[in-house]
Amino acid sequence: MANDLQQLKQNFISGLSNISGFWGFPKGMGAIFAVLYLSPGPLSLDELVTQTGLTKGAISTNVRGLSRLGLIHAASQLGDRKDYYQAETDFYRAVRAILQERRNSDFDRAVETVRLTLEKLESDDNSDPERAFLVERLRALKDFFDALDSLVNAVTRLDGLGLHTVQTVLKILK
Amino acid sequence: MANDLQQLKQNFISGLSNISGFWGFPKGMGAIFAVLYLSPGPLSLDELVTQTGLTKGAISTNVRGLSRLGLIHAASQLGDRKDYYQAETDFYRAVRAILQERRNSDFDRAVETVRLTLEKLESDDNSDPERAFLVERLRALKDFFDALDSLVNAVTRLDGLGLHTVQTVLKILK
DNA sequence: TACTATGTTTAGTACAAACTAAACGTTCTA
DNA sequence: TAGAACGTTTAGTTTGTACTAAACATAGTA
């Protein structure tokens, strides 16, 4: 019975670990978040150690990452030197945080390179047919990135409404 | 001049390699796609070898992956035993293909696990307060996944309209 | 049939990333 | 001030993955 619940929890934890790995995050992150998400109250680092099976070091670094992403929050309690953590339960907020996090990444830097390259090419003469071809292709790519960018921006700004609003709108569209 | 163009191309190729790696795909994939995307005509495997610096083996496996994702297309020419490849230029189609590809992945399998777990928990009695808490949390998570799922489905179905339509709608929303 | 051209598969290597174990630095307490 | 309680940092190990080099399979050509 209680054993049964424990089994389900364990299942959930390993499942979320895999999801985490799938999206390019450390699996430990997924495990830690899973444990916190299924816990009614905040947990200390040591409790995370026992419940995840990871070592203090791993917990320490992963917890930092999760905090930076806004997926968990530190909740230090007065008169207690321990740090306590709890999971963010508003996933939409978490998604927005993650999207913003990724803005200053290799990705956007590379996109910026494309933009600059295109600007330079377009300003020069493009009587050269090969050059004209390049301009055409890069422009299509840039337009695509711009669209993605707007999409991310829009989602990032959806403060009160959740993703379900977007879903509804999209359903109306077709 | 022509050197200049070559420089730009090289820049673009390495840039796309990084983007590829960032999203969890092999960097070679990005490089190959970049080369094909900047080529006016289809390229053979050997040409890809020389232009990317990768070996035949790497090209072979990566090309298979890109084909599966719908990011490039094989274009065998009659009377020529060589395989030729060209880049897909409709990015929206490519995005849809990638989203569909990811449907049968670890991710969706894990999500399914959550759904089943929840079903089982909800059907049983939940007089146990701990159990009731679990149900509440899992339900919130499931709702979130459902919303994401609908979003993906909607995007997948956007056949004629591109993402820019979505963008426009979102801009109207706020 | 031998030889060539082409793409795939395999065995091994190199590298990056996440983790463990343990040393370390702080801060609180006796 | 000594010691304990915590969290962080570091050095080293493990692991997974993308790549190279080369053997292989297949089909076309002399």
Side-chain angles (χ1 to χ4, degrees):
Chain A
M1 183 70 105
N3 238 344
D4 200 27
L5 272 193
Q6 206 52 40
Q7 174 66 28
L8 287 178
K9 276 191 186 180
Q10 216 54 46
N11 218 323
F12 178 74
I13 292 170
S14 73
L16 215 57
S17 294
N18 287 337
I19 293 185
S20 182
F22 180 78
W23 288 106
F25 299 103
K27 299 180 78 176
M29 273 197 185
I32 293 172
F33 180 82
V35 167
L36 288 177
Y37 186 70
L38 294 188
S39 162
L43 296 181
S44 70
L45 191 143
D46 274 338
E47 289 169 312
L48 286 174
V49 166
T50 60
Q51 294 208 34
T52 60
L54 299 177
T55 58
K56 279 199 304 174
I59 300 284
S60 179
T61 59
N62 280 324
V63 147
R64 205 181 313 145
L66 284 169
S67 277
R68 202 166 33 81
L69 290 177
L71 282 168
I72 69 174
H73 301 286
S76 309
Q77 300 179 349
L78 273 72
D80 193 339
R81 262 178 59 214
K82 287 203 190 86
D83 292 346
Y84 288 89
Y85 301 95
Q86 51 190 352
E88 168 68 63
T89 53
D90 182 345
F91 295 111
Y92 303 107
R93 181 188 301 184
V95 165
R96 285 196 296 274
I98 291 177
L99 288 179
Q100 275 177 334
E101 158 85 13
R102 298 218 153 172
R103 310 232 68 192
N104 304 17
S105 61
D106 295 332
F107 179 71
D108 284 83
R109 228 167 295 133
V111 170
E112 197 52 29
T113 301
V114 170
R115 291 209 170 99
L116 293 178
T117 303
L118 182 60
E119 257 182 39
K120 190 178 172 191
L121 273 178
E122 281 186 324
S123 67
D124 296 355
D125 90 304
N126 52 3
S127 51
D128 181 2
E130 185 187 356
R131 185 179 280 255
F133 173 77
L134 278 190
V135 168
E136 175 199 325
R137 287 272 155 123
L138 288 182
R139 164 148 291 285
L141 188 60
K142 179 183 165 299
D143 287 344
F144 176 70
F145 281 143
D146 284 344
L148 274 191
D149 202 44
S150 302
L151 181 61
V152 169
N153 273 334
V155 171
T156 304
R157 291 219 183 78
L158 291 176
D159 254 338
L161 12 133
L163 276 184
H164 62 276
T165 308
V166 180
Q167 162 198 350
T168 306
V169 171
L170 288 171
K171 200 173 288 177
I172 293 173
L173 272 181
K174 190 54 194 300
Chain B
M1 182 71 104
N3 237 343
D4 200 27
L5 272 193
Q6 205 52 38
Q7 173 67 26
L8 287 178
K9 276 191 187 180
Q10 214 55 45
N11 218 324
F12 178 74
I13 292 169
S14 73
L16 214 58
S17 295
N18 287 337
I19 292 185
S20 182
F22 180 78
W23 289 105
F25 299 102
K27 298 181 79 175
M29 273 197 185
I32 293 172
F33 180 83
V35 167
L36 288 176
Y37 187 69
L38 294 188
S39 161
L43 296 181
S44 72
L45 191 144
D46 275 338
E47 289 168 310
L48 285 175
V49 167
T50 60
Q51 292 208 34
T52 60
L54 299 177
T55 59
K56 279 199 305 176
I59 299 285
S60 179
T61 59
N62 280 324
V63 146
R64 205 180 314 145
L66 283 169
S67 277
R68 201 166 33 84
L69 290 176
L71 282 168
I72 69 174
H73 301 286
S76 309
Q77 299 180 351
L78 274 72
D80 192 339
R81 262 179 57 215
K82 286 202 189 88
D83 293 345
Y84 290 88
Y85 301 95
Q86 51 191 350
E88 168 68 62
T89 53
D90 182 345
F91 295 112
Y92 303 108
R93 181 187 301 184
V95 165
R96 286 195 296 274
I98 290 177
L99 286 180
Q100 276 176 334
E101 158 86 14
R102 297 219 154 173
R103 310 231 68 191
N104 303 20
S105 61
D106 295 332
F107 179 71
D108 283 82
R109 227 167 296 132
V111 170
E112 196 52 28
T113 301
V114 171
R115 290 207 172 99
L116 294 178
T117 303
L118 182 60
E119 257 181 39
K120 190 176 172 192
L121 273 178
E122 281 185 323
S123 69
D124 296 354
D125 90 303
N126 51 4
S127 50
D128 182 3
E130 185 187 355
R131 186 179 278 255
F133 173 78
L134 277 190
V135 168
E136 175 200 326
R137 286 272 155 122
L138 288 181
R139 164 148 290 285
L141 188 60
K142 178 183 166 300
D143 287 345
F144 176 70
F145 282 143
D146 284 345
L148 275 190
D149 202 44
S150 302
L151 182 60
V152 169
N153 273 335
V155 170
T156 304
R157 292 221 183 77
L158 290 176
D159 253 337
L161 12 132
L163 276 184
H164 61 278
T165 308
V166 181
Q167 160 199 353
T168 307
V169 172
L170 288 172
K171 200 174 287 177
I172 293 173
L173 271 182
K174 189 58 193 299

